[in-house]
Amino acid sequence: MEGGKNKKGKGKQPERVEKDDIFESEVEAMDEEQVDRNGGQCAELTAVDMEANIAIIRADLKSMVSEVKSELGIFRDSIRDDLKRELTDIREEIQHKLGEVASDLKATTERLCEAESRIADMEECSVDFKEALSQSLQAQERLQLKLTDLEARSRRNNVRIYGITEGAEENNIQQFIAKMIKEELQPLASVELGIQRCHRALGPKPPREAQPRSVVVYFQEFKTKELVLHSAWKKREIYYGERRIYFDHDYPAETLVKRKAYARIRRLLREKGIRFQTPPPAKLRVFFDSGPVTYESAAAAEEDLKKRGFSLERESTAASGFMEKTRKNTWQRAAKTASTMASTQSHQERIKERLRSFQRP
């Protein structure tokens, strides 16, 4: 019996399972329907919110755009006003500067014209002064020649003796010279020399090792002086103690300078073995094979010797005379004054045109 009941119970169990499955499927269907209904409502709510937000954003953007436009307009107007004001100031400053430049240029032009006028006047005066100075220098040169000639004539009776040791004359130089001449120049031993004055060359006493001062001897008669000179030159070498002494004319300083200019020429002639003489006051007589030639100046002698094939050593020339310096340093008249003025005016016009290009209309 029990076994039969069990068999019956086992037979009813599948029917219950089927009922549960149906119930569950219905519940699931209801849940899905509820979910679909809620999802639709959420979707509707989200779209509405988005449209509202978009409208708000659009309104904000329009407000921002209008504000930016307003601010940009204000900024543009401010910049325009500032630029206009700055440009106006710059133009006024440039015009002021151009006015000053034009004024300075005008003043400079006036000063330049005045300077050129003064320079022209100075050139005219310089020419006149140069002519007057040239005439004065020529007259002074003639007077100097006459003065030198007078001085040379006043020294005609003098003999200058070189090489006598300082202090050898002791206290009486006149007696010492007379004794020395008669002892060294035998033809004059019995001749009355007639020495009027005798003294050392003016100037401080030199040191012991330096060249001694020369002795100036003044004879009463010119022929006695010439006799002493010719006797000394004829003997050639005269010694007093261990020093050689020389006899010569007493020349003025200007004549000594001219005679000194022949030094190079005399040295060359001695080397070549050519006989020469130096006649007073400042000449040079050279005895060539073709005959004697007398030169009045060292420049003339040097030029002629070069033509004859002699080569002279070059020496630094002394400073040129005052006449030559004056000739070099005087004003020279400027050439083409009119063209110079035209060039100056054209240059000024170019400057003015360039300045006008900076002006604003």
Short mmCIF file of all heavy atoms in Angstrom, two decimals, residues 25-75:
data_model
loop_
_atom_site.label_atom_id
_atom_site.label_comp_id
_atom_site.label_asym_id
_atom_site.label_seq_id
_atom_site.Cartn_x
_atom_site.Cartn_y
_atom_site.Cartn_z
N SER A 25 7.92 32.68 -15.05
CA SER A 25 7.98 33.36 -16.35
C SER A 25 7.05 34.56 -16.37
O SER A 25 7.36 35.61 -16.95
CB SER A 25 7.64 32.38 -17.47
OG SER A 25 6.31 31.88 -17.29
N GLU A 26 5.90 34.43 -15.71
CA GLU A 26 4.98 35.57 -15.66
C GLU A 26 5.58 36.71 -14.85
O GLU A 26 5.45 37.88 -15.21
CB GLU A 26 3.66 35.11 -15.04
CG GLU A 26 2.85 34.19 -15.95
CD GLU A 26 1.56 33.70 -15.29
OE1 GLU A 26 1.36 34.03 -14.09
OE2 GLU A 26 0.77 33.04 -15.96
N VAL A 27 6.24 36.32 -13.73
CA VAL A 27 6.86 37.37 -12.89
C VAL A 27 7.96 38.10 -13.68
O VAL A 27 8.08 39.31 -13.64
CB VAL A 27 7.44 36.75 -11.61
CG1 VAL A 27 8.27 37.79 -10.86
CG2 VAL A 27 6.32 36.26 -10.72
N GLU A 28 8.73 37.32 -14.37
CA GLU A 28 9.81 37.94 -15.16
C GLU A 28 9.24 38.86 -16.22
O GLU A 28 9.77 39.94 -16.49
CB GLU A 28 10.66 36.85 -15.81
CG GLU A 28 11.51 36.09 -14.80
CD GLU A 28 12.30 34.96 -15.45
OE1 GLU A 28 12.13 34.78 -16.69
OE2 GLU A 28 13.10 34.31 -14.76
N ALA A 29 8.14 38.43 -16.84
CA ALA A 29 7.53 39.27 -17.88
C ALA A 29 7.05 40.58 -17.28
O ALA A 29 7.20 41.67 -17.85
CB ALA A 29 6.38 38.52 -18.56
N MET A 30 6.46 40.50 -16.07
CA MET A 30 5.98 41.71 -15.42
C MET A 30 7.15 42.62 -15.05
O MET A 30 7.07 43.85 -15.20
CB MET A 30 5.19 41.32 -14.15
CG MET A 30 3.84 40.63 -14.45
SD MET A 30 3.00 40.08 -12.94
CE MET A 30 2.65 41.62 -12.17
N ASP A 31 8.23 42.00 -14.58
CA ASP A 31 9.42 42.82 -14.23
C ASP A 31 9.98 43.53 -15.46
O ASP A 31 10.34 44.72 -15.41
CB ASP A 31 10.50 41.94 -13.60
CG ASP A 31 10.07 41.42 -12.21
OD1 ASP A 31 9.19 42.08 -11.61
OD2 ASP A 31 10.67 40.43 -11.75
N GLU A 32 10.05 42.81 -16.56
CA GLU A 32 10.58 43.43 -17.78
C GLU A 32 9.70 44.57 -18.24
O GLU A 32 10.17 45.62 -18.68
CB GLU A 32 10.70 42.38 -18.88
CG GLU A 32 11.81 41.37 -18.61
CD GLU A 32 11.86 40.29 -19.69
OE1 GLU A 32 11.01 40.33 -20.60
OE2 GLU A 32 12.78 39.45 -19.62
N GLU A 33 8.39 44.38 -18.11
CA GLU A 33 7.48 45.44 -18.53
C GLU A 33 7.64 46.67 -17.64
O GLU A 33 7.64 47.80 -18.12
CB GLU A 33 6.04 44.91 -18.45
CG GLU A 33 5.02 45.93 -18.95
CD GLU A 33 3.60 45.33 -18.86
OE1 GLU A 33 3.48 44.15 -18.50
OE2 GLU A 33 2.65 46.07 -19.19
N GLN A 34 7.85 46.42 -16.32
CA GLN A 34 8.04 47.54 -15.40
C GLN A 34 9.34 48.28 -15.70
O GLN A 34 9.40 49.51 -15.68
CB GLN A 34 8.07 47.01 -13.95
CG GLN A 34 8.15 48.11 -12.89
CD GLN A 34 6.89 48.95 -12.83
OE1 GLN A 34 5.78 48.45 -13.17
NE2 GLN A 34 7.02 50.22 -12.47
N VAL A 35 10.40 47.50 -16.00
CA VAL A 35 11.70 48.12 -16.32
C VAL A 35 11.61 48.96 -17.58
O VAL A 35 12.12 50.07 -17.67
CB VAL A 35 12.79 47.04 -16.46
CG1 VAL A 35 14.06 47.63 -17.05
CG2 VAL A 35 13.09 46.43 -15.11
N ASP A 36 10.93 48.43 -18.60
CA ASP A 36 10.78 49.18 -19.85
C ASP A 36 10.03 50.48 -19.61
O ASP A 36 10.36 51.53 -20.15
CB ASP A 36 10.05 48.33 -20.89
CG ASP A 36 10.91 47.14 -21.34
OD1 ASP A 36 12.18 47.25 -21.17
OD2 ASP A 36 10.36 46.16 -21.84
N ARG A 37 9.00 50.40 -18.74
CA ARG A 37 8.22 51.60 -18.47
C ARG A 37 9.07 52.64 -17.74
O ARG A 37 9.06 53.83 -18.08
CB ARG A 37 7.01 51.22 -17.63
CG ARG A 37 5.99 52.34 -17.46
CD ARG A 37 4.84 51.83 -16.63
NE ARG A 37 4.21 50.70 -17.35
CZ ARG A 37 3.34 49.87 -16.78
NH1 ARG A 37 3.05 49.99 -15.50
NH2 ARG A 37 2.79 48.89 -17.49
N ASN A 38 9.88 52.21 -16.75
CA ASN A 38 10.75 53.16 -16.02
C ASN A 38 11.85 53.74 -16.91
O ASN A 38 12.19 54.92 -16.82
CB ASN A 38 11.40 52.45 -14.82
CG ASN A 38 10.36 52.07 -13.75
OD1 ASN A 38 9.32 52.73 -13.64
ND2 ASN A 38 10.65 51.04 -12.98
N GLY A 39 12.43 52.90 -17.79
CA GLY A 39 13.49 53.40 -18.70
C GLY A 39 12.96 54.45 -19.64
O GLY A 39 13.62 55.43 -19.94
N GLY A 40 11.77 54.31 -20.12
CA GLY A 40 11.20 55.32 -21.01
C GLY A 40 11.03 56.63 -20.30
O GLY A 40 11.29 57.70 -20.85
N GLN A 41 10.56 56.54 -19.04
CA GLN A 41 10.40 57.78 -18.28
C GLN A 41 11.74 58.48 -18.05
O GLN A 41 11.85 59.70 -18.16
CB GLN A 41 9.73 57.46 -16.94
CG GLN A 41 8.28 57.01 -17.08
CD GLN A 41 7.65 56.63 -15.74
OE1 GLN A 41 8.34 56.65 -14.72
NE2 GLN A 41 6.35 56.31 -15.76
N CYS A 42 12.81 57.70 -17.73
CA CYS A 42 14.16 58.30 -17.52
C CYS A 42 14.68 58.95 -18.79
O CYS A 42 15.28 60.03 -18.76
CB CYS A 42 15.14 57.22 -17.05
SG CYS A 42 14.80 56.64 -15.38
N ALA A 43 14.47 58.31 -19.91
CA ALA A 43 14.94 58.88 -21.18
C ALA A 43 14.25 60.19 -21.47
O ALA A 43 14.86 61.16 -21.93
CB ALA A 43 14.70 57.87 -22.30
N GLU A 44 12.93 60.23 -21.19
CA GLU A 44 12.20 61.47 -21.43
C GLU A 44 12.73 62.58 -20.52
O GLU A 44 12.92 63.72 -20.95
CB GLU A 44 10.71 61.22 -21.17
CG GLU A 44 10.07 60.31 -22.24
CD GLU A 44 8.60 60.04 -21.92
OE1 GLU A 44 8.16 60.57 -20.87
OE2 GLU A 44 7.94 59.36 -22.71
N LEU A 45 13.01 62.25 -19.24
CA LEU A 45 13.53 63.26 -18.31
C LEU A 45 14.92 63.76 -18.75
O LEU A 45 15.22 64.95 -18.69
CB LEU A 45 13.60 62.67 -16.90
CG LEU A 45 12.24 62.41 -16.22
CD1 LEU A 45 12.45 61.69 -14.89
CD2 LEU A 45 11.47 63.70 -16.01
N THR A 46 15.83 62.90 -19.20
CA THR A 46 17.19 63.29 -19.62
C THR A 46 17.16 64.22 -20.83
O THR A 46 17.89 65.22 -20.90
CB THR A 46 18.01 62.04 -19.95
OG1 THR A 46 18.04 61.19 -18.81
CG2 THR A 46 19.44 62.41 -20.32
N ALA A 47 16.39 64.02 -21.80
CA ALA A 47 16.29 64.87 -23.00
C ALA A 47 15.82 66.26 -22.62
O ALA A 47 16.32 67.28 -23.13
CB ALA A 47 15.33 64.22 -24.01
N VAL A 48 14.85 66.34 -21.72
CA VAL A 48 14.34 67.65 -21.30
C VAL A 48 15.43 68.45 -20.59
O VAL A 48 15.63 69.64 -20.83
CB VAL A 48 13.12 67.46 -20.38
CG1 VAL A 48 12.69 68.80 -19.78
CG2 VAL A 48 11.97 66.87 -21.17
N ASP A 49 16.17 67.74 -19.70
CA ASP A 49 17.25 68.44 -18.98
C ASP A 49 18.33 68.93 -19.94
O ASP A 49 18.86 70.04 -19.79
CB ASP A 49 17.87 67.50 -17.94
CG ASP A 49 16.89 67.18 -16.81
OD1 ASP A 49 15.95 67.99 -16.63
OD2 ASP A 49 17.11 66.17 -16.12
N MET A 50 18.67 68.12 -20.91
CA MET A 50 19.71 68.52 -21.87
C MET A 50 19.29 69.74 -22.67
O MET A 50 20.09 70.66 -22.90
CB MET A 50 20.04 67.36 -22.82
CG MET A 50 20.80 66.22 -22.14
SD MET A 50 21.16 64.89 -23.28
CE MET A 50 22.22 65.72 -24.41
N GLU A 51 18.05 69.78 -23.09
CA GLU A 51 17.58 70.95 -23.84
C GLU A 51 17.64 72.21 -22.98
O GLU A 51 18.02 73.29 -23.44
CB GLU A 51 16.16 70.70 -24.33
CG GLU A 51 16.08 69.65 -25.45
CD GLU A 51 14.64 69.41 -25.89
OE1 GLU A 51 13.74 70.05 -25.29
OE2 GLU A 51 14.44 68.64 -26.83
N ALA A 52 17.27 72.04 -21.71
CA ALA A 52 17.31 73.21 -20.81
C ALA A 52 18.75 73.68 -20.60
O ALA A 52 19.04 74.89 -20.63
CB ALA A 52 16.68 72.84 -19.47
N ASN A 53 19.64 72.71 -20.42
CA ASN A 53 21.06 73.08 -20.23
C ASN A 53 21.64 73.76 -21.47
O ASN A 53 22.40 74.73 -21.39
CB ASN A 53 21.89 71.84 -19.88
CG ASN A 53 21.55 71.30 -18.49
OD1 ASN A 53 21.12 72.07 -17.62
ND2 ASN A 53 21.72 70.00 -18.29
N ILE A 54 21.28 73.23 -22.63
CA ILE A 54 21.77 73.83 -23.88
C ILE A 54 21.26 75.25 -24.03
O ILE A 54 21.99 76.17 -24.44
CB ILE A 54 21.35 72.97 -25.08
CG1 ILE A 54 22.13 71.64 -25.07
CG2 ILE A 54 21.58 73.70 -26.40
CD1 ILE A 54 21.65 70.63 -26.09
N ALA A 55 20.00 75.46 -23.67
CA ALA A 55 19.45 76.82 -23.75
C ALA A 55 20.20 77.77 -22.82
O ALA A 55 20.51 78.91 -23.17
CB ALA A 55 17.96 76.78 -23.41
N ILE A 56 20.50 77.26 -21.62
CA ILE A 56 21.24 78.10 -20.65
C ILE A 56 22.64 78.42 -21.19
O ILE A 56 23.12 79.56 -21.11
CB ILE A 56 21.32 77.39 -19.29
CG1 ILE A 56 19.92 77.29 -18.67
CG2 ILE A 56 22.26 78.13 -18.35
CD1 ILE A 56 19.86 76.40 -17.44
N ILE A 57 23.29 77.39 -21.74
CA ILE A 57 24.65 77.60 -22.28
C ILE A 57 24.63 78.60 -23.42
O ILE A 57 25.50 79.47 -23.54
CB ILE A 57 25.25 76.25 -22.73
CG1 ILE A 57 25.54 75.37 -21.50
CG2 ILE A 57 26.53 76.46 -23.53
CD1 ILE A 57 25.92 73.95 -21.84
N ARG A 58 23.60 78.47 -24.29
CA ARG A 58 23.49 79.41 -25.40
C ARG A 58 23.32 80.84 -24.89
O ARG A 58 23.92 81.79 -25.41
CB ARG A 58 22.32 79.03 -26.30
CG ARG A 58 22.60 77.81 -27.16
CD ARG A 58 21.38 77.46 -27.99
NE ARG A 58 21.65 76.32 -28.85
CZ ARG A 58 20.72 75.73 -29.62
NH1 ARG A 58 19.46 76.20 -29.60
NH2 ARG A 58 21.04 74.70 -30.38
N ALA A 59 22.50 80.97 -23.89
CA ALA A 59 22.29 82.31 -23.33
C ALA A 59 23.59 82.87 -22.74
O ALA A 59 23.93 84.05 -22.93
CB ALA A 59 21.19 82.26 -22.27
N ASP A 60 24.31 81.98 -22.03
CA ASP A 60 25.59 82.43 -21.45
C ASP A 60 26.59 82.82 -22.54
O ASP A 60 27.31 83.82 -22.42
CB ASP A 60 26.18 81.33 -20.57
CG ASP A 60 25.35 81.08 -19.31
OD1 ASP A 60 24.57 81.99 -18.95
OD2 ASP A 60 25.50 80.00 -18.71
N LEU A 61 26.64 82.00 -23.60
CA LEU A 61 27.57 82.31 -24.69
C LEU A 61 27.23 83.64 -25.36
O LEU A 61 28.12 84.44 -25.69
CB LEU A 61 27.56 81.18 -25.72
CG LEU A 61 28.23 79.87 -25.29
CD1 LEU A 61 28.03 78.79 -26.36
CD2 LEU A 61 29.71 80.09 -25.04
N LYS A 62 25.91 83.86 -25.59
CA LYS A 62 25.51 85.13 -26.19
C LYS A 62 25.91 86.30 -25.30
O LYS A 62 26.39 87.34 -25.78
CB LYS A 62 24.01 85.13 -26.43
CG LYS A 62 23.57 84.23 -27.57
CD LYS A 62 22.06 84.31 -27.77
CE LYS A 62 21.61 83.42 -28.93
NZ LYS A 62 20.13 83.48 -29.13
N SER A 63 25.71 86.11 -24.00
CA SER A 63 26.09 87.18 -23.07
C SER A 63 27.60 87.43 -23.10
O SER A 63 28.06 88.58 -23.13
CB SER A 63 25.64 86.82 -21.66
OG SER A 63 26.07 87.79 -20.73
N MET A 64 28.37 86.33 -23.11
CA MET A 64 29.83 86.48 -23.15
C MET A 64 30.29 87.13 -24.45
O MET A 64 31.18 87.99 -24.46
CB MET A 64 30.49 85.10 -22.99
CG MET A 64 30.36 84.51 -21.60
SD MET A 64 31.06 82.85 -21.49
CE MET A 64 32.75 83.21 -21.86
N VAL A 65 29.69 86.73 -25.57
CA VAL A 65 30.07 87.30 -26.86
C VAL A 65 29.79 88.80 -26.89
O VAL A 65 30.60 89.61 -27.36
CB VAL A 65 29.35 86.57 -28.00
CG1 VAL A 65 29.50 87.33 -29.32
CG2 VAL A 65 29.88 85.16 -28.16
N SER A 66 28.63 89.16 -26.38
CA SER A 66 28.30 90.59 -26.37
C SER A 66 29.25 91.38 -25.47
O SER A 66 29.70 92.48 -25.82
CB SER A 66 26.85 90.78 -25.89
OG SER A 66 26.70 90.29 -24.56
N GLU A 67 29.60 90.77 -24.32
CA GLU A 67 30.55 91.45 -23.43
C GLU A 67 31.93 91.58 -24.08
O GLU A 67 32.58 92.62 -23.99
CB GLU A 67 30.66 90.68 -22.11
CG GLU A 67 29.41 90.76 -21.24
CD GLU A 67 29.55 89.95 -19.97
OE1 GLU A 67 30.63 89.32 -19.81
OE2 GLU A 67 28.63 89.94 -19.14
N VAL A 68 32.39 90.48 -24.73
CA VAL A 68 33.70 90.53 -25.41
C VAL A 68 33.70 91.56 -26.52
O VAL A 68 34.66 92.32 -26.70
CB VAL A 68 34.06 89.13 -25.95
CG1 VAL A 68 35.27 89.21 -26.87
CG2 VAL A 68 34.34 88.17 -24.82
N LYS A 69 32.59 91.60 -27.29
CA LYS A 69 32.51 92.60 -28.36
C LYS A 69 32.57 94.01 -27.79
O LYS A 69 33.24 94.89 -28.34
CB LYS A 69 31.22 92.41 -29.15
CG LYS A 69 31.24 91.20 -30.07
CD LYS A 69 29.95 91.13 -30.87
CE LYS A 69 29.96 89.95 -31.85
NZ LYS A 69 28.71 89.87 -32.64
N SER A 70 31.87 94.20 -26.70
CA SER A 70 31.87 95.53 -26.09
C SER A 70 33.27 95.91 -25.60
O SER A 70 33.76 97.01 -25.83
CB SER A 70 30.88 95.56 -24.93
OG SER A 70 30.91 96.81 -24.27
N GLU A 71 33.92 94.94 -24.92
CA GLU A 71 35.27 95.22 -24.41
C GLU A 71 36.26 95.42 -25.56
O GLU A 71 37.14 96.29 -25.50
CB GLU A 71 35.73 94.07 -23.52
CG GLU A 71 34.96 94.00 -22.20
CD GLU A 71 35.42 92.83 -21.34
OE1 GLU A 71 36.29 92.07 -21.83
OE2 GLU A 71 34.92 92.68 -20.21
N LEU A 72 36.13 94.61 -26.62
CA LEU A 72 37.02 94.79 -27.78
C LEU A 72 36.82 96.15 -28.43
O LEU A 72 37.77 96.80 -28.88
CB LEU A 72 36.79 93.67 -28.80
CG LEU A 72 37.32 92.29 -28.43
CD1 LEU A 72 36.92 91.27 -29.49
CD2 LEU A 72 38.84 92.33 -28.29
N GLY A 73 35.58 96.59 -28.50
CA GLY A 73 35.32 97.90 -29.07
C GLY A 73 35.95 99.01 -28.23
O GLY A 73 36.55 99.95 -28.76
N ILE A 74 35.79 98.87 -26.90
CA ILE A 74 36.40 99.88 -26.02
C ILE A 74 37.93 99.86 -26.16
O ILE A 74 38.58 100.90 -26.24
CB ILE A 74 35.98 99.62 -24.56
CG1 ILE A 74 34.47 99.82 -24.41
CG2 ILE A 74 36.74 100.53 -23.62
CD1 ILE A 74 33.93 99.39 -23.05
N PHE A 75 38.52 98.63 -26.20
CA PHE A 75 39.97 98.50 -26.33
C PHE A 75 40.46 99.07 -27.67
O PHE A 75 41.49 99.75 -27.73
CB PHE A 75 40.34 97.02 -26.21
CG PHE A 75 41.81 96.75 -26.30
CD1 PHE A 75 42.67 97.16 -25.28
CD2 PHE A 75 42.34 96.10 -27.40
CE1 PHE A 75 44.02 96.92 -25.37
CE2 PHE A 75 43.69 95.86 -27.49
CZ PHE A 75 44.54 96.26 -26.47
#
